[in-house]
Amino acid sequence: MSKLFVHFWQNFKEYFVFVSLIVLSLYLITLDSSPKIQKLRAVIFGSYASLSSIFTELFDFRNLKSENDNLRKTNAELMLQLSKLRQDILLITELKNSLALKDTFKYSLISSRIVSRQVNNHQESFILDCGKKDGVEIGMPVISDKGLVGIVFSVSNNFSLIRTLRNSDLSLTIKSERTGEQGILKWKENNLRIINVPKTYQIKKGDRIVVSEISSIVPIVFPVGVAYSIENIEKGIFNEIIVHPFIDFDKLKYVFVVPVVASKEIKDLELNFLKNLR
Amino acid sequence: MKYYRIIPFLIFIPVIILQINIVPLLLFNGIYPDLILILLVYYTIQNNQIFGTISGFIFGGLYDLIFGTILGSMMLTKTLSGFLSGYFSSENKRDIYLKALNFSLIIFLIGIIDKIIFGFFSYFELSTRLLLSLFTNSLFGSLYTSVLSFILIILLPNRRLIE
């Protein structure tokens, strides 16, 4: 028996190794969301990010001048906006007081730099230089000055791995700001798309798309993008709407983590990807 | 102990850093070259099929863990790529396969399979347009990797064959 095995091993060892590793890979796919794998992932990408952050600084150095110019310009624009917003705040406070509403939106943002980004057409992810010690937790939304960037997927002590909107594994409940109609936003065929949109929906080109209040993943209404075109009009029972994001993901360097996780009560009731990660 | 077998794993770290920091500068219409595939195929030809299969498994696993892709997806893809590259590791033909044009052709063929398989793990909803998109990305992506590998293999000084 052992001779037979040795004979087979000597003649077909390449195939044995190949099939074993393929089976092991397929088995690991089923374990992707298990807590043990998440811990291992946090250790590995944390170690990698420590090393990579040194190089990222080197590669970013040459862009500093143009970035400074852009920041100066943005600063001036922001100053003008701030002046207008101050006036608006006074008006809003006055209105809120009169309606006896309580302002519940007080978040201290965790600022962060992108130290590494994965170039992939389907599953884009960033590594940020903030982690558990800064108060980052799995499931926290990540934003920039223009809108929602993604969701924290894994955290180590000093670094976080986020899935951006350009990741086919992230689905988000959104709505049209104008009509209030809800939909599911997904990264599909190299575009952000609202999928399975009933043909009766009134969303049209140019409508602002924001995160819906009923989203179990992102608990705050953040801007996402604008409706760009409607597809699948002629065939099928549903349309698809292509959304152009407000954020230029390729040029993004600095982001903010919002230290808030979707309500646990909602999370317990609804099925979402966070359940497996905690 | 054959120490030269550790070399690809030592090179893997700088290669993955280059893949992250340099490749975005080479991004063309969403198509990008795959430096890890070039490394894998090169060292598989230099060694043997089992070495390539195991290296692919390890490279893919590390990639999945670092970048949050589904654990096992890149692992399976690169294991397959390593295994297929092994068919070009024949001892008496290594020097032929490592010639620039032949090497880039091998990269092109394996790159197509690599990207198609990985694409299936990235997309769960299949449609005709999706398959077309997958095919386009695979074809042009592997062509880009192949062209880059052609340049790299020419620039590589004194390619030494391992006995």
Side-chain angles (χ1 to χ4, degrees):
Chain A
M1 185 69 184
S2 61
K3 274 186 180 176
L4 189 70
F5 180 77
V6 171
H7 171 75
F8 267 101
W9 172 254
Q10 280 173 349
N11 287 295
F12 302 106
K13 59 186 172 193
E14 290 86 1
Y15 300 96
F16 275 123
V17 172
F18 173 63
V19 172
S20 309
L21 294 182
I22 290 289
V23 170
L24 186 58
S25 305
L26 288 170
Y27 174 66
L28 285 170
I29 288 173
T30 64
L31 298 179
D32 183 53
S33 303
S34 77
K36 281 182 185 172
I37 296 293
Q38 288 303 319
K39 279 181 189 165
L40 178 65
R41 196 188 288 275
V43 172
I44 301 276
F45 92 76
S47 316
Y48 166 76
S50 311
L51 191 67
S52 174
S53 58
I54 303 164
F55 290 91
T56 308
E57 278 175 20
L58 279 174
F59 289 113
D60 276 352
F61 195 69
R62 64 204 156 80
N63 294 326
L64 279 180
K65 194 182 175 301
S66 63
E67 196 180 316
N68 264 341
D69 293 342
N70 286 337
L71 282 174
R72 273 195 208 102
K73 194 183 165 195
T74 312
N75 219 6
E77 287 168 359
L78 285 174
M79 193 188 68
L80 293 171
Q81 281 181 22
L82 186 66
S83 163
K84 189 181 175 300
L85 283 172
R86 275 186 182 143
Q87 289 172 10
D88 291 347
I89 286 169
L90 288 173
L91 181 67
I92 290 166
T93 313
E94 199 178 316
L95 287 169
K96 274 188 177 175
N97 287 340
S98 63
L99 291 167
L101 285 175
K102 192 179 174 186
D103 187 0
T104 53
F105 295 96
K106 286 178 183 171
Y107 301 110
S108 53
L109 301 174
I110 302 164
S111 62
S112 174
R113 188 169 61 90
I114 298 167
V115 292
S116 194
R117 59 179 76 216
Q118 181 211 16
V119 180
N120 186 318
N121 289 336
H122 321 302
Q123 294 176 316
E124 186 176 76
S125 56
F126 294 158
I127 295 177
L128 310 182
D129 67 348
C130 61
K132 277 181 192 162
K133 71 174 176 58
D134 304 293
V136 179
E137 285 180 36
I138 292 170
M140 286 179 173
V142 180
I143 59 168
S144 80
D145 56 335
K146 293 191 174 69
L148 185 69
V149 176
I151 300 286
V152 176
F153 173 65
S154 186
V155 192
S156 70
N157 277 335
N158 299 305
F159 297 95
S160 313
L161 180 68
I162 67 160
R163 280 180 173 170
T164 72
L165 292 178
R166 299 201 301 193
N167 191 312
S168 56
D169 289 336
L170 180 64
S171 300
L172 195 66
T173 313
I174 48 80
K175 67 170 189 179
S176 157
E177 209 171 50
R178 184 178 62 86
T179 64
E181 289 158 338
Q182 317 269 351
I184 302 292
L185 186 78
K186 228 181 151 173
W187 179 250
K188 192 180 163 191
E189 295 173 34
N190 294 337
N191 276 306
L192 271 179
R193 287 165 187 266
I194 308 174
I195 54 169
N196 299 338
V197 179
K199 289 190 182 292
T200 51
Y201 269 25
Q202 299 299 311
I203 301 175
K204 59 182 183 184
K205 187 178 176 179
D207 279 1
R208 265 172 67 88
I209 305 297
V210 296
V211 175
S212 166
E213 299 89 345
I214 65 164
S215 168
S216 58
I217 299 174
V218 180
I220 307 166
V221 177
F222 293 118
V224 173
V226 286
Y228 178 71
S229 67
I230 300 171
E231 291 205 335
N232 203 25
I233 298 169
E234 302 299 325
K235 51 180 183 176
I237 53 170
F238 293 115
N239 287 339
E240 278 190 357
I241 298 171
I242 293 183
V243 175
H244 274 191
F246 288 127
I247 294 166
D248 185 348
F249 288 91
D250 296 326
K251 290 179 181 167
L252 203 60
K253 283 180 183 170
Y254 297 93
V255 291
F256 301 97
V257 179
V258 186
V260 59
V261 181
S263 161
K264 194 175 181 310
E265 272 182 65
I266 297 172
K267 194 151 61 64
D268 288 344
L269 287 169
E270 293 186 30
L271 181 69
N272 66 43
F273 86 109
L274 292 174
K275 271 193 172 177
N276 295 322
L277 302 180
R278 299 215 138 231
Chain B
M1 178 73 186
K2 293 170 178 174
Y3 291 105
Y4 61 83
R5 294 210 163 157
I6 305 168
I7 293 169
F9 300 100
L10 296 176
I11 297 174
F12 176 74
I13 299 296
V15 165
I16 205 163
I17 289 172
L18 284 177
Q19 176 80 28
I20 300 309
N21 292 295
I22 297 291
V23 166
L25 303 175
L26 305 174
L27 197 68
F28 178 72
N29 233 356
I31 296 161
Y32 56 93
D34 186 349
L35 300 182
I36 298 165
L37 184 72
I38 298 174
L39 177 77
L40 176 65
V41 174
Y42 179 77
Y43 277 101
T44 304
I45 294 175
Q46 289 273 33
N47 290 276
N48 57 47
Q49 196 166 33
I50 290 185
F51 180 85
T53 312
I54 294 170
S55 302
F57 182 79
I58 295 169
F59 288 177
L62 286 171
Y63 186 96
D64 284 334
L65 287 169
I66 290 172
F67 296 112
T69 46
I70 301 164
L71 181 65
S73 57
M74 187 57 98
M75 201 181 249
L76 188 145
T77 308
K78 288 286 182 268
T79 304
L80 180 64
S81 301
F83 179 75
L84 293 176
S85 312
Y87 284 108
F88 300 99
S89 63
S90 165
E91 281 179 33
N92 47 0
K93 286 187 177 173
R94 266 176 202 153
D95 51 346
I96 299 169
Y97 291 137
L98 286 175
K99 279 182 182 168
L101 197 62
N102 294 340
F103 183 70
S104 59
L105 186 66
I106 292 168
I107 291 281
F108 176 66
L109 295 174
I110 291 170
I112 290 177
I113 296 165
D114 182 280
K115 286 189 185 293
I116 286 177
I117 299 291
F118 186 65
F120 274 109
F121 287 100
S122 309
Y123 284 129
F124 291 104
E125 299 160 38
L126 293 175
S127 69
T128 319
R129 289 190 54 209
L130 191 64
L131 286 171
L132 184 71
S133 153
L134 202 69
F135 181 72
T136 314
N137 281 334
S138 309
L139 192 69
F140 290 117
S142 51
L143 188 66
Y144 199 169
T145 310
S146 159
V147 170
L148 190 72
S149 69
F150 182 82
I151 298 163
L152 286 176
I153 204 86
I154 287 174
L155 294 176
L156 201 67
N158 304 322
R159 291 194 301 281
R160 189 164 54 85
L161 297 178
I162 294 159
E163 297 302 322

